[in-house]
Amino acid sequence: VGLLFIFPRKVIFQNTEIHVAGIGGVVTHLSFRRQGVATKILIHTNEFLKQQNFDLALLCTDIPRLGGLYNQVGFVPMVNSYIFTDKNGKQKEETGGMICTIKNQSKTDLIQNSKEIIKVGQSNF
């Protein structure tokens, strides 16, 4: 009734390797929305990511509309935008990012407290 995709990445940011789980494609079937399905999937995903030694998770969303859902499971808006390379090889800057500490708060803080914009690599979209 619901699913999401995990896009594992190793990102170098300010000379620090960060194991990032990109979260995308979070969806719940129309008949099951507003019943906690996405929240349960996200909670389970965060537990799985912790077992897999990810430092943090990132996603992009319409924060005014959906930020509350992600905030329930530990995501907070990113201070800065982020840069990715799209499927056509073009670099793009995106706002609407949210970040969640999985295992390493210091790496989340490094990103959140920096004026530098993180480059997350190749997009799957």
Side-chain angles (χ1 to χ4, degrees), residues 8-59:
R9 305 262 194 275
K10 286 188 181 177
V11 175
I12 303 298
F13 184 72
Q14 296 186 351
N15 298 318
T16 302
E17 184 175 86
I18 304 175
H19 295 252
V20 176
I23 303 295
V26 180
V27 66
T28 302
H29 188 278
L30 286 172
S31 302
F32 294 92
R33 291 188 182 163
R34 317 285 291 154
Q35 297 177 35
V37 173
T39 302
K40 288 176 187 169
I41 291 171
L42 287 161
I43 289 169
H44 176 76
T45 298
N46 283 356
E47 291 168 358
F48 171 79
L49 294 174
K50 192 170 193 174
Q51 293 170 358
Q52 300 299 311
N53 292 315
F54 281 89
D55 296 311
L56 54 92
L58 296 176
L59 59 81

Side-chain angles (χ1 to χ4, degrees), residues 39 43 67-75:
T39 302
I43 289 169
L69 164 67
Y70 297 111
N71 189 257
Q72 291 178 62
V73 296
F75 283 88

